[in-house]
């Protein structure tokens, strides 16, 4: 009853088109939910994300849920998640993708879910890591450990939004580090991020995680930029 009154005076808006959500709609309206361009990457091992890392770094599996297009629904969602504090978007996408990925044998033995880390200065500015709720939803769905402390970002850099592809490639060199102990040996790590573009950041983080003896890496992202 109370929630209904709150929704009456402060109606929630769709993360994709900003229209008011109906009673049974969560984060996205029905129209936007059906209009989201899905990749179906998880149905093919040699998909666009996996192929991006071929010959660059050894990974077990890679996929993303949605395609990211400029001025599209997914861009609007990610922007609100990343810059406007709408962390419920990451949570919703996480539970959604967790159901899709549950059938994938390649990641059934994942031990620890790890987000791309933010530098302490960036984390203080934003107040949160935009992939935390995404990772926590995957963690709860699969009963897997979520750990934000194994990977660290040692160097602060300006946002990559306006950088060219070349610039993005250059900026990720040698800025990450890894904290581990013997309990992390021989583990399968699932590395997660919001949007994959060149893949350079994910590659750099994967290389750090592969310094852990016996480690394996898989990658899951919310969106893939075409």
């Amino acid at each position: 009853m109370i929630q209904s009154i709150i929704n009456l005076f402060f109606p929630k808006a769709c993360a994709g088109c900003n229209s008011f959500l109906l009673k049974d709609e969560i984060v996205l309206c029905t129209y936007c939910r059906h209009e989201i361009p899905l990749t179906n990457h998880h149905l093919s091992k040699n998909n666009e994300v996996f192929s991006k890392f071929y010959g660059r770094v050894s990974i077990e599996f890679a996929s993303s849920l949605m395609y990211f297009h400029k001025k599209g629904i997914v861009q609007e969602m990610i922007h609100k998640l990343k810059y406007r504090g709408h962390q419920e978007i990451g949570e919703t996408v996480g539970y959604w993708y967790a159901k899709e990925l549950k059938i994938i044998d390649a990641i059934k033995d994942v031990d620890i879910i790890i987000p791309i880390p933010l530098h302490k200065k960036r984390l203080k500015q934003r107040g949160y890591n935009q992939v935390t709720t995404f990772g926590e939803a995957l963690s709860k769905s699969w009963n897997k450990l979520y750990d934000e402390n194994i990977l660290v970002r040692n160097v602060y850099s300006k946002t990559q939004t306006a950088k060219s592809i070349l610039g993005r490639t250059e900026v990720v060199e040698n800025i990450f580090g890894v904290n581990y102990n013997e309990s992390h040996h021989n583990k399968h790590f699932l590395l997660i991020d919001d949007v994959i573009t060149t893949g350079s950041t994910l590659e750099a983080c994967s290389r750090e995680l592969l310094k852990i003896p016996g480690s394996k890496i898989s990658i899951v992202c919310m969106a893939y930029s075409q």
Side-chain angles (χ1 to χ4, degrees), residues 2 12 16 28 36 39 49-50 59 90 99 102 106 108 127 142 154 170 187 193 195 197 215-217:
I2 295 177
K12 294 182 179 180
L28 291 167
I36 284 180
T39 68
V49 180
F50 186 85
I59 58 174
K99 292 179 182 179
K102 202 166 186 178
K108 285 183 177 179
W142 300 336
N154 297 317
E170 291 173 342
K187 300 297 185 184
D193 203 2
V195 182
T197 50
S215 61
K216 297 192 300 183
I217 310 296

Side-chain angles (χ1 to χ4, degrees), residues 9 13 21 30 32-33 68 85 140 166 179 197 206-207 220:
F9 291 99
L21 294 177
T30 302
C32 284
R33 178 85 178 220
F68 180 101
K140 292 174 183 176
L166 178 60
N179 295 319
T197 50
S206 294
R207 291 187 184 281
V220 165

